[in-house]
Amino acid sequence: DPPSGGPPSGGPPSGGPPSGGPPSGPTAPTPNMSPAPTSVGFVSDMPTLDCPDGCPDCDPNSPLQCPPRDMKAVCDKHNDALYPPGDAREGERVANFRDCYDMCKPSFCCIHDSLSKEYAPSCAQEYENCFLYYPCYIIWWKLHDTIGPATYLRVEQDEDFYNVDFEFLTNDFANDREFFQQLFGHHFDDDNAPTDDTFENEDNW
C-alpha cells in the first residue's frame, strides 16, 4: 500500500500522470542516426547510416530500427567516461539516464505481453530488432521502481547515472502519448485507458 500522505484524488505525488493520458506530442528520435562509439566509450561526431552487424531488420521504414551503436556505452551506469575536450558536450558523462531513456523508448513494447490491441500493444513477437535493445533493462527497472501502485514512481537516485527527476518524466509523458500509454497500459489486457482509480484498486495489484 502507498504510504500515508499519498496522492490526493486525481493523481500520484508531485504531479503524476493525469487521468486519461496526456495530449499527443512528438515521438522519440529515430535511433539509426546516432553516432558510433569509439574504443574508449566516446561517441564520434559522424552519424552512422549503414546497417550494423547483427541487426536483422535494417529497413529505414522498420517500426523498430536498429539501435544506436553507442547504446551500450550510454546505458551502462558503470561507464564513467566523459565526452572529450572539443565535443559539444565536453565534460558530461557519456552514460546517463536521459540519453539512454530516449534511445530505449521505442522498444518498450518489446518487454511485455499485454493483449491490448490499440492502447498498449506488445510487439515482442513481431519486431525483429527487439533483442538488440537489451541494454535498456536499466531504464525499465527504474520506471517500475515504485512505492505501491505503478503510478507512484520513485525515479531519483543518488548515483551519477541517474540525471532524472519526476518533473522530467511527467513532462515527457505529456509530450509522448504513445510511450505514456505503453508504460501505464501494458499492465492490462484491454484497450481501456487506465485512470488513477484503476491503479488504486487493490484488485488490480
Side-chain angles (χ1 to χ4, degrees):
D1 293 339
S4 60
S9 177
S14 305
S19 297
S24 60
T27 59
T30 302
N32 71 349
M33 289 296 292
S34 293
T38 70
S39 59
V40 292
F42 301 135
V43 292
S44 72
D45 57 2
M46 296 297 292
T48 299
L49 302 177
D50 60 325
C51 184
D53 290 342
C55 185
D57 183 1
C58 295
D59 187 333
N61 296 315
S62 171
L64 182 64
Q65 297 187 14
C66 302
R69 294 188 177 212
D70 54 326
M71 173 179 282
K72 287 193 285 187
V74 171
C75 295
D76 178 5
K77 76 171 186 175
H78 300 294
N79 175 19
D80 294 324
L82 305 178
Y83 286 98
D87 190 276
R89 299 179 63 178
E90 177 180 345
E92 294 182 30
R93 280 179 59 95
V94 171
N96 69 91
F97 185 97
R98 292 191 183 195
D99 289 342
C100 180
Y101 172 80
D102 283 340
M103 292 177 176
C104 290
K105 284 198 300 178
S107 71
F108 188 87
C109 59
C110 294
I111 70 164
H112 67 82
D113 58 359
S114 171
L115 299 181
S116 169
K117 299 298 184 184
E118 297 179 4
Y119 193 82
S122 171
C123 62
Q125 303 300 318
E126 300 174 31
Y127 293 176
E128 292 184 83
N129 293 337
C130 275
F131 73 99
L132 296 173
Y133 283 78
Y134 67 88
C136 298
Y137 79 91
I138 193 168
I139 302 298
W140 311 146
W141 170 79
K142 176 49 69 176
L143 293 182
H144 291 86
D145 181 12
T146 64
I147 308 171
T151 51
Y152 286 67
L153 298 174
R154 180 172 54 184
V155 296
E156 296 183 33
Q157 189 161 326
D158 188 20
E159 294 182 49
D160 291 338
F161 177 82
Y162 294 96
N163 61 340
V164 63
D165 55 27
F166 199 81
E167 183 179 5
F168 168 82
L169 287 179
T170 54
N171 288 338
D172 188 72
F173 295 159
N175 289 324
D176 191 339
R177 181 181 183 88
E178 181 177 355
F179 182 70
F180 176 93
Q181 292 181 184
Q182 278 285 331
L183 181 61
F184 293 103
H186 81 279
H187 298 285
F188 309 99
D189 286 331
D190 56 37
D191 289 310
N192 298 319
T195 66
D196 297 326
D197 290 339
T198 307
F199 290 102
E200 295 289 340
N201 183 348
E202 295 185 12
D203 292 338
N204 292 328
W205 294 1

